[in-house]
Each structure stands twice: as C-alpha cells, then as structure tokens.
Amino acid sequence: MLRFFKNQSMDRLFVPYLFLLLSIFVFADAGSIGVNYGRIANNLPSAAKVVQLLQSQGIERVKVFDTDPAVLKALAGSGIKVTVDLPNELLFSAAKRPSFAYSWVQRNVAAYYPETEIEAIAVGNEVFVDPHNTTKFLVPAMKNIHQALEKYNFHSSIKISSPIALSALQSSYPSSAGSFRTELIEPIFKPMLDFLRETGSFLMVNAYPFFAYESNSDVISLDYALFRENPGVVDAGNGLRYFSLFDAQVDAVFAALSVLKYDDVRLVVTETGWPSEGDGNEIGASVENAAAYNGNLVRRILTGGGTPLRPKADLTVYLFALLNENKKTGPTSERNYGLFYPDEKKVYDIPFTMEGLKNYHDHRSPVTGGQTVAAGPVNGGGGVSKSTSGNTWCVASAEAGKERLQAGLDYACGEGGADCRPIQPGASCYDPNTVEAHASFAFNSYYQKKSRAAGSCYFGGAAYLVTQPPKYGACEFPTGY
C-alpha cells in the first residue's frame, strides 16, 4: 500500500453486498480469503510463528512484499499458497536484462518451489504512482520474468501480474462509467492485459473503501462502506443497485476492462482493509469499524455471488494486513491495519473460514452508522477533496457537450421541479448566459431539492459533485431548500 497515493485518490465508488439473511451454508463454490504479511516493524514474531498463526486461523493464502528466505522457508510444506513480490526498484533491471530476470527467478522462486507453494508473482506494486517513474519498465519486466518461469516449466502453475491502485482509473463513478486513464491505455494497459490473457493470469487490484469514506464522510454512508444493511445506490448507467462501496470499486475496474474488450480477464483484490486506529482527522478509523469492514467482507467473499456487474465472478481477496507494523511512516492509521498485534493476539475477533462464520455477528454500537446516503465523487478519476463545510454541490460537466447539458437542463427545469427562476433573462443568475452555467444551477437546484440523495447528481453522466461552492459570476448556488 503506497500511502502517499491512497491519501489523494482512493476513489469514491460503491459495491453489492449479500444481505445477512442469506444462509452462509448454501454456496458450494465461493471466493477465497488471503492476507498480506508485511514486516515493516521491529517487534514481530518469527516467520515460523507467523505460519503457525496463519494455520491456526485457517488462512490458506498469503501475500508478501519481497522474497525473504526466512519467510519462504517457513512457508514450505505449510499448505499455504503464496504470492511473492518483485519490488519496484528491480523493475528496470528485470526489464532490461533477461539474464537478471532468470537469476531472480532462480534465487527467489526455483529455490523454494514447489515445497513453498508459490502461486503468483506480483511484478512491482502500484507502479503507476511510484515516484521513481518505473511505469515504462513494467510490461517488459513481466514478460522477462514469465520467460524465466518457462525455462523452469513453472509458467503454467505460477501466474504473473502487477497490483494497480484505483488511481489508474480515469473515471470511477458511477461504476458503469469505469475507464482506465487515457495516457496509460495504449503504452501499458493493452499490452499488459494482452499478456494476462495470453498467460491465463488475472489483474491485481488494490481497493480501499476506507479512504473514500474518510474523504467523503459527509456524503457516503458508513453502513454502505462497512457492508451493513442500507438502501443501496442505483447506478444510473446500467440500473444496477449497489449495497457496498467495495463492490462498486471492483465493478468500476470490471467496467474499465469491458471498455477495452477484456471482459475475460479475471480480477483479484490484492489489498483491502480498514485501520483500527487513526489520527483525529482520519474519520472512521476505529476498532469497531475495522472489525465490521473486515468481518463483513470475509462473509461477503466466502458466501460467493460475485458483483452486480459480474455475478459469477467469485473473488479472491487479500486483507491488509496480518500484523500491526510499528515502523511504517505516515499517519497513525498506517501502523494500525493489522488483524493481529505483534504478540499474536487479535486486534478484534473476526473469522476467516466458513466454519468460523457460523457464529459470527457484526457487533455494532447503537450510536454508529448513520443515515447519510452514498453520493457520487468529485470530477474525474483523481483525488477526492474533502468538503470544508460539509456541503456538496452538483454542477455540469463541460465534457458532456451542449446537447446532453441542454437535455439535462430541460429535465431539471421541467418535470424535475428545479427552481430555475434565477437563470431566466434579467434574473440574478442569468449571466453568464451559457448552457453550462445554466445547467449547473439547475442541476444543483434539483440535487438540493432531492436532499442530496444518491443518484440525484447524474443527469446521464453530464453532472458531478464538488465540495466547494461553485461560482458563476455573481450567482450564488443554494445548499438546501
């Protein structure tokens, strides 16, 4: 998890959730739960003890961020499937020198496999937000590592991919509008997705609803973020209803794959989690919320069912992270994503298996939750700016074009019931006399009259939310009626 990115751009998206009334015993085939085992700390148990901890909890998959010999040796014969990482700083060498890639595989994979059940190699991590500009080396490095696996005849059983952060999306709300960043499509995404398709691999994605909620807690329901019962959010683009932030984030990536005609490429969520403690401005970071998110996510994944857009796509999800890591830099939350303390005691009690789910209950405080609806993001696929006032406004997107803006304006001022008197000739908001300015006023009037309800700032994709008061000349936009 590269925190400097997540702080800026954990996109505000939304996801389906299987209501708790469904029996958890009905599903024969479902998803799989793994965990990330990070070690940026000076007080962690030995690798051997960590393996015993994983086994005691029934965790059958683990992802590590390097190829530490002590860890890989400890995992040998454990029955736990392992994903290892080739760090970003080695991408240049792996891309430029096939001999380096072969030596790396020899030392870090062949030396342990198959006793250590390495099932995947993450080549780099969130490379597109790496400040060292390693993006152009990604696909060549993946191909060279794969060629090295072929020499050992490991290529059929060990898959290669690279975890992407959600900032790789140009658009992420609504989920149906998901698309990859334009500048990455031809040079990176198409060749990478071709490679994943040809090798039968999958796209690795890191998704953190916590950051979306933290930055937009005034418009995103906590229940929606934590997989709790809620009214849901209808995607105006495809009519699907989402009941959790996680599923909508995942479906935004599926939609982006579909745009490029890669519907057959599978997806694995290589990181997701929620901190049990944070600084005063890290809204939502608490033991109770972390327990709810991860516990309800485990239930959501193990009971199967896919997402609204991909109902048959049972997911493999890796929780972040196994242990609290006391040497991580950044805000307090960075050191408090662990499911366990370094002494191996649980930070909170959640199950990781179907058997454990039989007696699991989401213990919520009577004062948590809230009725705030989940609403759309600010413009584009970039950062989320937190409202300083707690208000949001709906404005027109110039990129929608005059025809779509005019259609939305006509609806808002007509059957939509917006107060469009201020944009009539001679009125206070008539100037500037442009379709965009008038549509923005009308869209916002409609949105505010609907009490900022989810889906009320869409207008066929011609509108988006902002967290600072819009300004068109001397016109002031209302915040409520």
Side-chain angles (χ1 to χ4, degrees), residues 261-296:
K261 310 301 181 186
Y262 290 93
D263 299 81
D264 55 321
V265 174
R266 294 177 295 132
L267 188 153
V268 167
V269 179
T270 37
E271 287 185 32
T272 190
W274 197 286
S276 60
E277 185 179 344
D279 295 322
N281 63 342
E282 294 188 284
I283 299 171
S286 71
V287 170
E288 180 185 331
N289 290 346
Y293 179 81
N294 284 315
N296 289 333

Side-chain angles (χ1 to χ4, degrees), residues 388-404:
T388 56
S389 64
N391 292 321
T392 51
W393 293 261
C394 182
V395 296
S397 171
E399 299 175 357
K402 287 186 177 181
E403 289 187 5
R404 289 171 66 193

Side-chain angles (χ1 to χ4, degrees), residues 25 49 53 84 91 102 131 133 145 211 238 242 285 293 317 321 352 356 384 397 437 449 465 468 475:
F25 313 113
K49 286 188 175 181
L53 177 63
V84 299
L91 287 174
Y102 178 80
N133 194 27
I145 294 294
F211 289 100
N238 57 24
Y242 286 85
Y293 179 81
V317 173
F352 303 100
V384 181
S397 171
K449 280 181 172 290
L465 291 178
Q468 302 298 324
C475 181

